[in-house]
């Protein structure tokens, strides 16, 4: 079984425009378009059983429509969705209640696209309230290729959040990109062993040896297989994880067992 814990889709009418915009500002090439049907075809072609879709609200006014669409599609055709919350949300409690009541497993934050630092008080409030409701928090971590001059979620910021919120968000925080995109040294030094999850999105092809080192130090039981589709190939990432010097038990943890625990327990 394989669960891809980090993918992105857009509604068909805006998918092409959205990917073109993100490709331009990030100087990146998408592996495929970001339509739901294309992701489902990739899953069928590459034996991916479940994909988790992570939408981002770049303005408060987007929250309602994003979360309504996510709720309507959640659990269908092997797709599970996170909810979207913006740091300037007018009613955090009501928004999170709606996400929880809709059956979504958690929320996605993106400090770069939402224009705040990860340890911003608004995020702290959102994360505390989300965790109290049993929701998981997925965040972009490390450098973002569209905003290289300013890192909005560093390992030090993650440590401050963990210190500030104590045990409230322990085991509820999921750091994308193996804890920090293009920051594997800092992740190894500062975050390995902390009560957080990490996913493999968009980094397995960049520095596979460092990824293996992080997995060994952090523990395979806290790592989630993820691609960042449409920016990475699901087939390539399955092959890359299988090529790492890990035991079958460790690979099973990463490929699906850890993700099952999150999706079932949410």
């Amino acid at each position: 079984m394989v669960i891809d814990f980090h993918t992105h889709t857009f509604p068909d009418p805006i998918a092409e425009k959205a990917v073109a915009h993100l490709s331009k500002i990030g100087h990146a090439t998408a592996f495929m378009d970001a339509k739901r049907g294309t992701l489902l075809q990739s899953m069928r072609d590459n034996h991916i059983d479940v994909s988790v879709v992570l939408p981002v609200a770049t303005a408060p006014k987007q929250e309602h429509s994003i979360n309504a669409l996510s709720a309507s599609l959640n659990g269908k055709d092997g797709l599970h969705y996170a909810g979207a919350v913006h740091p300037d949300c007018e009613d955090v409690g009501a928004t999170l209640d709606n996400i929880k009541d809709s059956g979504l497993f958690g929320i996605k934050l993106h400090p770069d696209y939402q224009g705040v630092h990860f340890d911003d008080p608004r995020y702290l409030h959102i994360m505390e309230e989300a965790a109290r409701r049993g929701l998981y928090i997925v965040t972009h971590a490390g450098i973002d290729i569209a905003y290289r001059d300013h890192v909005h979620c560093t390992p030090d910021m993650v440590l401050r959040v963990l210190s500030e919120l104590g045990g409230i968000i322990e085991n509820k925080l999921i750091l994308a990109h193996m804890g920090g995109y293009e920051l594997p040294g800092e992740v190894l030094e500062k975050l390995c062993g902390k009560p957080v999850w990490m996913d493999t999105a968009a980094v397995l092809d960049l520095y596979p040896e460092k990824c293996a080192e992080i997995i060994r130090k952090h523990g395979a039981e806290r790592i989630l297989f993820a691609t960042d589709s449409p920016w990475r190939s699901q087939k390539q990432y399955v092959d890359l994880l299988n090529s790492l010097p890990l035991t079958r038990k460790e690979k099973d943890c990463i490929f699906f067992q850890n993700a099952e625990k999150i999706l079932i327990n949410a």
Side-chain angles (χ1 to χ4, degrees), residues 93-258:
T95 299
L96 293 173
D97 284 341
N98 178 61
I99 289 171
K100 179 68 175 180
D101 293 343
S102 296
L104 305 180
F105 78 93
I107 61 172
K108 171 67 187 293
L109 303 177
H110 201 306
D112 299 275
Y113 289 151
Q114 294 179 324
V116 298
H117 292 120
F118 186 60
D119 54 357
D120 184 281
R122 290 168 291 177
Y123 265 179
L124 289 170
H125 176 59
I126 289 170
M127 287 188 281
E128 179 177 358
E129 292 302 315
R132 290 191 186 282
R133 288 164 170 78
L135 294 168
Y136 287 81
I137 303 112
V138 186
T139 183
H140 174 90
I143 294 169
D144 186 275
I145 57 176
Y147 300 94
R148 287 188 175 276
D149 293 338
H150 190 96
V151 184
H152 288 79
C153 182
T154 66
D156 284 330
M157 292 177 193
V158 174
L159 291 178
R160 284 194 287 273
V161 167
L162 291 173
S163 175
E164 183 75 20
L165 296 181
I168 297 171
I169 65 166
E170 284 189 6
N171 304 313
K172 290 293 185 182
L173 180 59
I174 302 167
L175 304 176
H177 314 299
M178 208 62 108
Y181 187 80
E182 293 189 3
L183 300 175
E186 286 191 57
V187 172
L188 280 163
E189 177 188 353
K190 299 175 180 180
L191 296 181
C192 285
K194 301 299 181 183
V196 298
W197 302 86
M198 299 181 189
D199 81 28
T200 67
V203 294
L204 278 181
D205 58 321
L206 297 183
Y207 35 83
E209 292 181 359
K210 283 292 184 183
C211 288
E213 190 175 351
I214 291 171
I215 292 170
R216 285 193 294 268
K217 187 171 182 181
H218 192 56
E221 68 279 1
R222 290 185 181 274
I223 304 293
L224 302 162
F225 174 74
T227 64
D228 209 2
S229 175
W231 307 106
R232 293 297 193 273
S233 158
Q234 290 187 314
K235 180 183 186 306
Q236 180 195 24
Y237 263 51
V238 169
D239 292 342
L240 281 166
L241 184 61
N242 274 323
S243 73
L244 294 184
L246 303 171
T247 66
R248 183 72 260 165
K249 182 178 180 181
E250 289 172 325
K251 290 175 183 177
D252 285 346
C253 278
I254 298 169
F255 268 131
F256 70 95
Q257 290 174 354
N258 298 334

Side-chain angles (χ1 to χ4, degrees), residues 4-10 12 31-54 73 76-81 227-235:
D4 183 347
F5 209 88
H6 190 140
T7 70
H8 302 283
T9 64
F10 297 96
D12 285 6
F31 178 78
M32 61 186 188
D33 69 38
K35 295 179 180 179
R36 181 174 180 272
T38 307
L39 175 60
L40 292 174
Q41 186 62 52
S42 173
M43 292 168 62
R44 288 191 292 268
D45 292 344
N46 299 298
H47 309 291
I48 309 294
D49 299 275
V50 173
S51 286
V52 175
V53 182
L54 304 174
L73 298 173
K76 297 179 180 178
D77 301 316
L79 298 183
H80 287 260
Y81 288 74
T227 64
D228 209 2
S229 175
W231 307 106
R232 293 297 193 273
S233 158
Q234 290 187 314
K235 180 183 186 306

